[in-house]
Amino acid sequence: MEEIILFLILLGTGYFFGVLAEKKHYKDIRSREQETLSLAIASFGAKQPLPDASEAELFVGAVVISSDYFKTFVMALRNILGGRVIAYESLLDRGRREALLRVKEQAIAWGATEVLNIRYETSTLGGNNQKGIAAIEVIAYGTAIR
């Protein structure tokens, strides 16, 4: 009985603090996105001409976002039942947006006028094969010009 109570306490605590941290992170992301709206991002195909630039530099933004106890529990249920894992979709969204913001903030500090061909890479850390809470790593990179 004590194990069940401890489990429920951990589950509730994970949910409460996880939601709180996620809301705080989304608020920070939204304000930083507003600050970086002036920097244009464009993707070009292989045969399209690139814009003229006197300088170009590669910028990389990396972020690791960990799952809380509640999301890990929900993921374990979804592995049994199947279906969308909505709880993890927010991890990917926050990771993608944060990584892009880091690229844009570095490029703005460098004096970039535009960032070309943003690309993303993702990987999982921890999870089912290892003990511990699952986390995702998102890396965004692109070429800034000025």
Side-chain angles (χ1 to χ4, degrees):
M1 183 68 172
E2 291 176 8
E3 291 92 15
I4 293 173
I5 292 172
L6 179 62
F7 171 74
L8 292 175
I9 289 172
L10 286 174
L11 192 63
T13 304
Y15 177 77
F16 176 75
F17 285 108
V19 167
L20 193 66
E22 191 170 281
K23 284 183 181 181
K24 182 179 176 187
H25 191 211
Y26 268 125
K27 183 179 178 183
D28 179 58
I29 286 172
R30 282 190 297 273
S31 70
R32 290 168 51 216
E33 283 174 340
Q34 288 298 315
E35 294 169 5
T36 61
L37 277 177
S38 62
L39 184 63
I41 294 178
S43 290
F44 289 87
K47 296 184 179 181
Q48 289 179 294
L50 296 175
D52 292 330
S54 60
E55 294 180 81
E57 189 163 327
L58 178 70
F59 288 96
V60 177
V63 63
V64 175
I65 297 186
S66 177
S67 170
D68 57 56
Y69 192 82
F70 178 76
K71 286 182 181 171
T72 302
F73 176 72
V74 169
M75 180 59 181
L77 285 179
R78 281 295 181 194
N79 281 338
I80 296 169
L81 303 173
R84 273 177 66 191
V85 186
I86 296 169
Y88 272 20
E89 289 177 5
S90 67
L91 285 180
L92 289 170
D93 179 54
R94 287 170 42 216
R96 179 189 55 79
R97 289 168 71 179
E98 179 68 34
L100 178 61
L101 275 170
R102 290 180 182 187
V103 169
K104 288 178 78 174
E105 288 167 345
Q106 292 173 35
I108 288 170
W110 180 69
T113 56
E114 193 171 3
V115 178
L116 307 176
N117 294 337
I118 291 285
R119 300 290 187 259
Y120 294 97
E121 297 289 330
T122 61
S123 63
T124 57
L125 308 170
N128 292 341
N129 296 334
Q130 302 171 8
K131 294 187 180 196
I133 301 293
I136 60 152
E137 176 186 34
V138 180
I139 298 172
Y141 55 94
T143 304
I145 60 171
R146 60 179 172 190

PDB file of all heavy atoms in Angstrom, residues 67 70-80 85 87-88 128 134:
ATOM      1  N   SER A  67      11.991  14.631 -19.940  1.00  0.00           N
ATOM      2  CA  SER A  67      10.609  14.309 -19.618  1.00  0.00           C
ATOM      3  C   SER A  67      10.440  14.279 -18.098  1.00  0.00           C
ATOM      4  O   SER A  67      11.337  13.871 -17.375  1.00  0.00           O
ATOM      5  CB  SER A  67      10.275  12.938 -20.200  1.00  0.00           C
ATOM      6  OG  SER A  67       9.033  12.497 -19.722  1.00  0.00           O
ATOM      7  N   PHE A  70       5.567  12.212 -14.844  1.00  0.00           N
ATOM      8  CA  PHE A  70       4.223  11.986 -15.359  1.00  0.00           C
ATOM      9  C   PHE A  70       4.266  11.593 -16.839  1.00  0.00           C
ATOM     10  O   PHE A  70       3.617  10.635 -17.254  1.00  0.00           O
ATOM     11  CB  PHE A  70       3.358  13.226 -15.163  1.00  0.00           C
ATOM     12  CG  PHE A  70       1.966  13.074 -15.707  1.00  0.00           C
ATOM     13  CD1 PHE A  70       1.021  12.325 -15.020  1.00  0.00           C
ATOM     14  CD2 PHE A  70       1.606  13.662 -16.902  1.00  0.00           C
ATOM     15  CE1 PHE A  70      -0.265  12.169 -15.525  1.00  0.00           C
ATOM     16  CE2 PHE A  70       0.329  13.510 -17.408  1.00  0.00           C
ATOM     17  CZ  PHE A  70      -0.611  12.769 -16.721  1.00  0.00           C
ATOM     18  N   LYS A  71       5.040  12.321 -17.637  1.00  0.00           N
ATOM     19  CA  LYS A  71       5.120  12.012 -19.058  1.00  0.00           C
ATOM     20  C   LYS A  71       5.753  10.639 -19.290  1.00  0.00           C
ATOM     21  O   LYS A  71       5.370   9.928 -20.204  1.00  0.00           O
ATOM     22  CB  LYS A  71       5.897  13.099 -19.796  1.00  0.00           C
ATOM     23  CG  LYS A  71       5.100  14.367 -19.949  1.00  0.00           C
ATOM     24  CD  LYS A  71       5.838  15.407 -20.722  1.00  0.00           C
ATOM     25  CE  LYS A  71       4.951  16.633 -20.798  1.00  0.00           C
ATOM     26  NZ  LYS A  71       5.604  17.771 -21.339  1.00  0.00           N
ATOM     27  N   THR A  72       6.716  10.292 -18.460  1.00  0.00           N
ATOM     28  CA  THR A  72       7.338   8.971 -18.579  1.00  0.00           C
ATOM     29  C   THR A  72       6.312   7.881 -18.295  1.00  0.00           C
ATOM     30  O   THR A  72       6.259   6.859 -18.981  1.00  0.00           O
ATOM     31  CB  THR A  72       8.530   8.864 -17.621  1.00  0.00           C
ATOM     32  OG1 THR A  72       9.451   9.912 -17.928  1.00  0.00           O
ATOM     33  CG2 THR A  72       9.224   7.526 -17.755  1.00  0.00           C
ATOM     34  N   PHE A  73       5.460   8.104 -17.306  1.00  0.00           N
ATOM     35  CA  PHE A  73       4.405   7.144 -16.974  1.00  0.00           C
ATOM     36  C   PHE A  73       3.402   7.030 -18.125  1.00  0.00           C
ATOM     37  O   PHE A  73       3.015   5.928 -18.521  1.00  0.00           O
ATOM     38  CB  PHE A  73       3.703   7.558 -15.676  1.00  0.00           C
ATOM     39  CG  PHE A  73       2.546   6.681 -15.312  1.00  0.00           C
ATOM     40  CD1 PHE A  73       2.752   5.395 -14.851  1.00  0.00           C
ATOM     41  CD2 PHE A  73       1.246   7.148 -15.443  1.00  0.00           C
ATOM     42  CE1 PHE A  73       1.682   4.575 -14.512  1.00  0.00           C
ATOM     43  CE2 PHE A  73       0.168   6.338 -15.116  1.00  0.00           C
ATOM     44  CZ  PHE A  73       0.387   5.047 -14.645  1.00  0.00           C
ATOM     45  N   VAL A  74       2.994   8.169 -18.684  1.00  0.00           N
ATOM     46  CA  VAL A  74       2.046   8.169 -19.797  1.00  0.00           C
ATOM     47  C   VAL A  74       2.650   7.450 -21.001  1.00  0.00           C
ATOM     48  O   VAL A  74       1.970   6.691 -21.692  1.00  0.00           O
ATOM     49  CB  VAL A  74       1.628   9.616 -20.158  1.00  0.00           C
ATOM     50  CG1 VAL A  74       0.856   9.664 -21.462  1.00  0.00           C
ATOM     51  CG2 VAL A  74       0.800  10.215 -19.028  1.00  0.00           C
ATOM     52  N   MET A  75       3.944   7.668 -21.231  1.00  0.00           N
ATOM     53  CA  MET A  75       4.613   6.991 -22.343  1.00  0.00           C
ATOM     54  C   MET A  75       4.601   5.474 -22.148  1.00  0.00           C
ATOM     55  O   MET A  75       4.395   4.724 -23.102  1.00  0.00           O
ATOM     56  CB  MET A  75       6.054   7.494 -22.468  1.00  0.00           C
ATOM     57  CG  MET A  75       6.831   6.869 -23.581  1.00  0.00           C
ATOM     58  SD  MET A  75       6.073   7.147 -25.179  1.00  0.00           S
ATOM     59  CE  MET A  75       7.206   6.280 -26.213  1.00  0.00           C
ATOM     60  N   ALA A  76       4.806   5.034 -20.921  1.00  0.00           N
ATOM     61  CA  ALA A  76       4.773   3.595 -20.643  1.00  0.00           C
ATOM     62  C   ALA A  76       3.380   3.028 -20.940  1.00  0.00           C
ATOM     63  O   ALA A  76       3.254   1.937 -21.506  1.00  0.00           O
ATOM     64  CB  ALA A  76       5.166   3.329 -19.193  1.00  0.00           C
ATOM     65  N   LEU A  77       2.327   3.771 -20.605  1.00  0.00           N
ATOM     66  CA  LEU A  77       0.963   3.328 -20.919  1.00  0.00           C
ATOM     67  C   LEU A  77       0.724   3.289 -22.420  1.00  0.00           C
ATOM     68  O   LEU A  77       0.106   2.361 -22.941  1.00  0.00           O
ATOM     69  CB  LEU A  77      -0.060   4.260 -20.264  1.00  0.00           C
ATOM     70  CG  LEU A  77      -0.254   4.113 -18.760  1.00  0.00           C
ATOM     71  CD1 LEU A  77      -1.282   5.119 -18.268  1.00  0.00           C
ATOM     72  CD2 LEU A  77      -0.678   2.707 -18.395  1.00  0.00           C
ATOM     73  N   ARG A  78       1.232   4.303 -23.112  1.00  0.00           N
ATOM     74  CA  ARG A  78       1.044   4.349 -24.562  1.00  0.00           C
ATOM     75  C   ARG A  78       1.779   3.198 -25.256  1.00  0.00           C
ATOM     76  O   ARG A  78       1.348   2.733 -26.297  1.00  0.00           O
ATOM     77  CB  ARG A  78       1.520   5.681 -25.139  1.00  0.00           C
ATOM     78  CG  ARG A  78       0.549   6.791 -24.941  1.00  0.00           C
ATOM     79  CD  ARG A  78      -0.710   6.510 -25.722  1.00  0.00           C
ATOM     80  NE  ARG A  78      -1.622   7.614 -25.538  1.00  0.00           N
ATOM     81  CZ  ARG A  78      -2.887   7.579 -25.845  1.00  0.00           C
ATOM     82  NH1 ARG A  78      -3.412   6.489 -26.342  1.00  0.00           N
ATOM     83  NH2 ARG A  78      -3.642   8.609 -25.650  1.00  0.00           N
ATOM     84  N   ASN A  79       2.892   2.760 -24.697  1.00  0.00           N
ATOM     85  CA  ASN A  79       3.590   1.615 -25.267  1.00  0.00           C
ATOM     86  C   ASN A  79       2.730   0.367 -25.192  1.00  0.00           C
ATOM     87  O   ASN A  79       2.793  -0.497 -26.062  1.00  0.00           O
ATOM     88  CB  ASN A  79       4.919   1.368 -24.547  1.00  0.00           C
ATOM     89  CG  ASN A  79       5.996   2.313 -25.018  1.00  0.00           C
ATOM     90  OD1 ASN A  79       5.909   2.866 -26.103  1.00  0.00           O
ATOM     91  ND2 ASN A  79       7.008   2.499 -24.200  1.00  0.00           N
ATOM     92  N   ILE A  80       1.907   0.267 -24.146  1.00  0.00           N
ATOM     93  CA  ILE A  80       1.025  -0.879 -23.986  1.00  0.00           C
ATOM     94  C   ILE A  80      -0.215  -0.738 -24.869  1.00  0.00           C
ATOM     95  O   ILE A  80      -0.601  -1.658 -25.573  1.00  0.00           O
ATOM     96  CB  ILE A  80       0.595  -1.029 -22.506  1.00  0.00           C
ATOM     97  CG1 ILE A  80       1.817  -1.337 -21.638  1.00  0.00           C
ATOM     98  CG2 ILE A  80      -0.466  -2.100 -22.360  1.00  0.00           C
ATOM     99  CD1 ILE A  80       1.550  -1.232 -20.155  1.00  0.00           C
ATOM    100  N   VAL A  85       1.315   9.952 -28.632  1.00  0.00           N
ATOM    101  CA  VAL A  85       1.835  10.302 -27.315  1.00  0.00           C
ATOM    102  C   VAL A  85       1.868  11.831 -27.240  1.00  0.00           C
ATOM    103  O   VAL A  85       2.903  12.462 -27.462  1.00  0.00           O
ATOM    104  CB  VAL A  85       3.231   9.703 -27.072  1.00  0.00           C
ATOM    105  CG1 VAL A  85       3.680   9.969 -25.641  1.00  0.00           C
ATOM    106  CG2 VAL A  85       3.215   8.222 -27.355  1.00  0.00           C
ATOM    107  N   ALA A  87       1.715  13.775 -24.788  1.00  0.00           N
ATOM    108  CA  ALA A  87       2.581  14.304 -23.737  1.00  0.00           C
ATOM    109  C   ALA A  87       4.001  14.542 -24.247  1.00  0.00           C
ATOM    110  O   ALA A  87       4.670  15.476 -23.816  1.00  0.00           O
ATOM    111  CB  ALA A  87       2.609  13.338 -22.550  1.00  0.00           C
ATOM    112  N   TYR A  88       4.480  13.729 -25.184  1.00  0.00           N
ATOM    113  CA  TYR A  88       5.835  13.908 -25.714  1.00  0.00           C
ATOM    114  C   TYR A  88       5.884  14.896 -26.877  1.00  0.00           C
ATOM    115  O   TYR A  88       6.945  15.394 -27.212  1.00  0.00           O
ATOM    116  CB  TYR A  88       6.412  12.563 -26.150  1.00  0.00           C
ATOM    117  CG  TYR A  88       7.121  11.823 -25.044  1.00  0.00           C
ATOM    118  CD1 TYR A  88       6.894  12.118 -23.704  1.00  0.00           C
ATOM    119  CD2 TYR A  88       8.031  10.828 -25.332  1.00  0.00           C
ATOM    120  CE1 TYR A  88       7.537  11.442 -22.694  1.00  0.00           C
ATOM    121  CE2 TYR A  88       8.688  10.136 -24.323  1.00  0.00           C
ATOM    122  CZ  TYR A  88       8.434  10.451 -23.009  1.00  0.00           C
ATOM    123  OH  TYR A  88       9.092   9.779 -22.013  1.00  0.00           O
ATOM    124  N   ASN A 128      13.737   3.630 -22.879  1.00  0.00           N
ATOM    125  CA  ASN A 128      13.459   2.226 -22.587  1.00  0.00           C
ATOM    126  C   ASN A 128      14.702   1.363 -22.402  1.00  0.00           C
ATOM    127  O   ASN A 128      14.715   0.461 -21.587  1.00  0.00           O
ATOM    128  CB  ASN A 128      12.600   1.629 -23.709  1.00  0.00           C
ATOM    129  CG  ASN A 128      11.217   2.222 -23.725  1.00  0.00           C
ATOM    130  OD1 ASN A 128      10.771   2.787 -22.742  1.00  0.00           O
ATOM    131  ND2 ASN A 128      10.549   2.125 -24.855  1.00  0.00           N
ATOM    132  N   ALA A 134      13.518   9.668 -19.803  1.00  0.00           N
ATOM    133  CA  ALA A 134      13.828   9.918 -21.206  1.00  0.00           C
ATOM    134  C   ALA A 134      13.994  11.404 -21.456  1.00  0.00           C
ATOM    135  O   ALA A 134      13.367  12.237 -20.812  1.00  0.00           O
ATOM    136  CB  ALA A 134      12.711   9.364 -22.081  1.00  0.00           C
TER     137      ALA A 134
END
